[in-house]
């Protein structure tokens, strides 16, 4: 089942002499349960693409379909609700709310959506992420690796159609990177999540089902890896 597709998706910044074609017209399709890594040099257009896939930034041209919805055909308010329900984000900077506990950070997107959290599922996620002993802690009381685990939990909480991660291990040491990688893997397998990850980490790329390489705004597909897709 196709969960994400782009048609001629492109982005140009600026005008005239300072114009930068950050993403050239791109058609990609991602199936439910796939783990896709995006690699490429700095400044090649990776974040630009990811932000548009998640409806965080508008394209200059083209379309993004998530779960069959043409996301940029929605009004801004509708899109922000759609994002909260359908897309989980994990960033390099963990972006947790400092005054909220681990558990509150994880359920925040649901509460913002006035949805009752599926308590059993949230507890299962907290357990799977190894955060049971930390549920009442504040982000400042956690290590970087633990904070990123909370961010993964927050991304999983709404059972989104897709999780988009931008350098999720960029701020972590080797051991914590390994743990975060294992948890991202777990989310793909246990919850049949679809995951698109920008990474410089060769281990993450090696575990992906597919690798997309971006260079100067042009996306090409590299070799296939694992086999989680359904
Ligand atoms: P990457 O994520 O691969 O490092 P980016 O998507 O951030 O690359 O950037 C791609 C290109 O677009 C770069 O040349 C960058 O300088 C340019 N760019 C990114 N964001 C902006 C912006 N807001 N305004 C102007 N140029 C931008």
């Amino acid at each position: 089942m196709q969960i994400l597709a782009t048609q001629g998706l492109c982005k140009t910044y600026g005008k005239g002499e300072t114009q930068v074609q950050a993403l050239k017209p791109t058609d990609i399709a991602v199936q439910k349960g796939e783990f896709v890594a995006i690699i490429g040099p700095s400044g090649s257009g990776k974040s630009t693409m990811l932000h548009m896939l998640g409806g965080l930034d508008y394209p200059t041209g083209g379309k993004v379909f998530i779960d069959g919805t043409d996301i940029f055909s929605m009004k801004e308010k509708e899109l922000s609700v759609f994002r909260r329900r359908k897309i989980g984000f994990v960033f390099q900077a963990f972006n947790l709310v400092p005054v909220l506990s681990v558990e509150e950070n994880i359920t925040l997107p649901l509460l913002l959506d006035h949805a009752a959290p599926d308590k059993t599922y949230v507890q299962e996620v907290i357990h799977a992420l190894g955060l049971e002993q930390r549920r009442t802690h504040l982000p400042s009381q956690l290590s970087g690796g633990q904070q990123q685990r909370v961010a993964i939990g927050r991304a999983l909480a709404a059972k989104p159609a897709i999780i988009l991660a931008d350098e999720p291990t960029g701020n972590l040491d080797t051991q914590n990177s390994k743990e975060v990688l294992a948890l991202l893997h777990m989310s793909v397998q246990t919850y049949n999540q679809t995951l698109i990850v920008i990474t410089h980490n060769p281990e993450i790329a090696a575990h992906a089902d597919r690798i997309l390489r971006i260079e100067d705004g042009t996306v090409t597909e590299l070799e296939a890896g694992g086999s989680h897709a359904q």
Side-chain angles (χ1 to χ4, degrees), residues 13-14 20 22 40-49 198:
Y13 292 108
V20 177
S42 182
S44 57
K46 302 184 296 297
S47 296
T48 298
M49 179 158 97
I198 293 180

Short mmCIF file of all heavy atoms in Angstrom, two decimals, residues 13-14 20 22 40-49 198, ligand 1:
data_model
loop_
_atom_site.label_atom_id
_atom_site.label_comp_id
_atom_site.label_asym_id
_atom_site.label_seq_id
_atom_site.Cartn_x
_atom_site.Cartn_y
_atom_site.Cartn_z
N TYR A 13 14.54 28.65 -3.86
CA TYR A 13 14.63 29.76 -2.92
C TYR A 13 15.15 30.99 -3.65
O TYR A 13 16.01 30.88 -4.52
CB TYR A 13 15.60 29.45 -1.79
CG TYR A 13 15.17 28.36 -0.83
CD1 TYR A 13 15.78 27.12 -0.85
CD2 TYR A 13 14.15 28.59 0.10
CE1 TYR A 13 15.40 26.12 0.05
CE2 TYR A 13 13.77 27.59 1.00
CZ TYR A 13 14.40 26.37 0.96
OH TYR A 13 14.02 25.38 1.83
N GLY A 14 14.64 32.13 -3.28
CA GLY A 14 15.18 33.41 -3.79
C GLY A 14 14.80 33.70 -5.23
O GLY A 14 14.04 32.94 -5.86
N VAL A 20 18.27 29.75 -5.77
CA VAL A 20 18.83 28.41 -5.55
C VAL A 20 17.73 27.38 -5.81
O VAL A 20 16.66 27.45 -5.19
CB VAL A 20 19.30 28.23 -4.08
CG1 VAL A 20 19.82 26.82 -3.85
CG2 VAL A 20 20.36 29.24 -3.72
N ALA A 22 16.76 24.33 -4.81
CA ALA A 22 17.15 23.40 -3.73
C ALA A 22 16.67 21.99 -4.01
O ALA A 22 17.34 21.02 -3.66
CB ALA A 22 16.60 23.90 -2.40
N GLY A 40 23.19 12.37 1.39
CA GLY A 40 23.69 13.36 0.43
C GLY A 40 24.50 14.40 1.15
O GLY A 40 24.35 14.57 2.37
N PRO A 41 25.35 15.12 0.42
CA PRO A 41 26.20 16.13 1.05
C PRO A 41 25.38 17.26 1.68
O PRO A 41 24.21 17.44 1.34
CB PRO A 41 27.05 16.67 -0.11
CG PRO A 41 26.69 15.90 -1.31
CD PRO A 41 25.53 15.02 -1.02
N SER A 42 26.03 17.99 2.55
CA SER A 42 25.40 19.15 3.16
C SER A 42 25.00 20.14 2.06
O SER A 42 25.76 20.37 1.13
CB SER A 42 26.42 19.77 4.12
OG SER A 42 25.85 20.85 4.75
N GLY A 43 23.79 20.70 2.19
CA GLY A 43 23.34 21.69 1.22
C GLY A 43 22.77 21.09 -0.05
O GLY A 43 22.48 21.81 -1.01
N SER A 44 22.55 19.76 -0.08
CA SER A 44 22.09 19.11 -1.32
C SER A 44 20.57 19.14 -1.47
O SER A 44 20.06 18.81 -2.54
CB SER A 44 22.60 17.67 -1.38
OG SER A 44 22.18 16.94 -0.25
N GLY A 45 19.84 19.49 -0.40
CA GLY A 45 18.39 19.58 -0.51
C GLY A 45 17.62 18.60 0.36
O GLY A 45 16.39 18.49 0.25
N LYS A 46 18.31 17.89 1.25
CA LYS A 46 17.66 16.85 2.06
C LYS A 46 16.58 17.43 2.98
O LYS A 46 15.45 16.95 2.99
CB LYS A 46 18.71 16.11 2.92
CG LYS A 46 19.82 15.46 2.11
CD LYS A 46 20.77 14.68 2.99
CE LYS A 46 21.55 15.52 3.99
NZ LYS A 46 22.46 16.51 3.36
N SER A 47 16.96 18.44 3.76
CA SER A 47 15.98 19.02 4.70
C SER A 47 14.84 19.69 3.95
O SER A 47 13.68 19.60 4.35
CB SER A 47 16.65 20.05 5.61
OG SER A 47 17.61 19.42 6.41
N THR A 48 15.19 20.35 2.85
CA THR A 48 14.15 20.99 2.03
C THR A 48 13.11 19.96 1.63
O THR A 48 11.90 20.19 1.75
CB THR A 48 14.80 21.62 0.77
OG1 THR A 48 15.71 22.63 1.20
CG2 THR A 48 13.76 22.23 -0.15
N MET A 49 13.56 18.80 1.16
CA MET A 49 12.61 17.76 0.74
C MET A 49 11.81 17.25 1.93
O MET A 49 10.59 17.15 1.86
CB MET A 49 13.33 16.60 0.04
CG MET A 49 12.34 15.52 -0.38
SD MET A 49 12.92 14.48 -1.69
CE MET A 49 13.52 13.11 -0.75
N ILE A 198 16.62 11.30 7.27
CA ILE A 198 17.83 11.93 6.73
C ILE A 198 18.98 11.52 7.63
O ILE A 198 18.87 11.65 8.86
CB ILE A 198 17.74 13.47 6.77
CG1 ILE A 198 16.67 13.96 5.81
CG2 ILE A 198 19.09 14.10 6.43
CD1 ILE A 198 16.55 15.47 5.81
P1 LIG B 1 20.66 19.78 3.29
O1 LIG B 1 19.53 19.45 4.19
O2 LIG B 1 20.96 18.68 2.31
O3 LIG B 1 21.90 20.20 4.03
P2 LIG B 1 19.05 22.05 2.54
O4 LIG B 1 17.78 21.43 2.07
O5 LIG B 1 19.06 22.62 3.92
O6 LIG B 1 20.23 21.00 2.37
O7 LIG B 1 19.47 23.21 1.52
C1 LIG B 1 19.49 23.04 0.12
C2 LIG B 1 19.90 24.35 -0.55
O8 LIG B 1 18.89 25.33 -0.34
C3 LIG B 1 21.19 24.95 0.00
O9 LIG B 1 21.89 25.54 -1.07
C4 LIG B 1 20.70 25.97 0.98
O10 LIG B 1 21.63 27.02 1.12
C5 LIG B 1 19.43 26.47 0.33
N1 LIG B 1 18.44 26.91 1.33
C6 LIG B 1 17.88 26.17 2.31
N2 LIG B 1 16.97 26.88 3.02
C7 LIG B 1 16.97 28.13 2.47
C8 LIG B 1 16.24 29.33 2.75
N3 LIG B 1 15.33 29.39 3.72
N4 LIG B 1 16.49 30.39 1.97
C9 LIG B 1 17.40 30.35 0.95
N5 LIG B 1 18.11 29.25 0.63
C10 LIG B 1 17.91 28.14 1.37
#
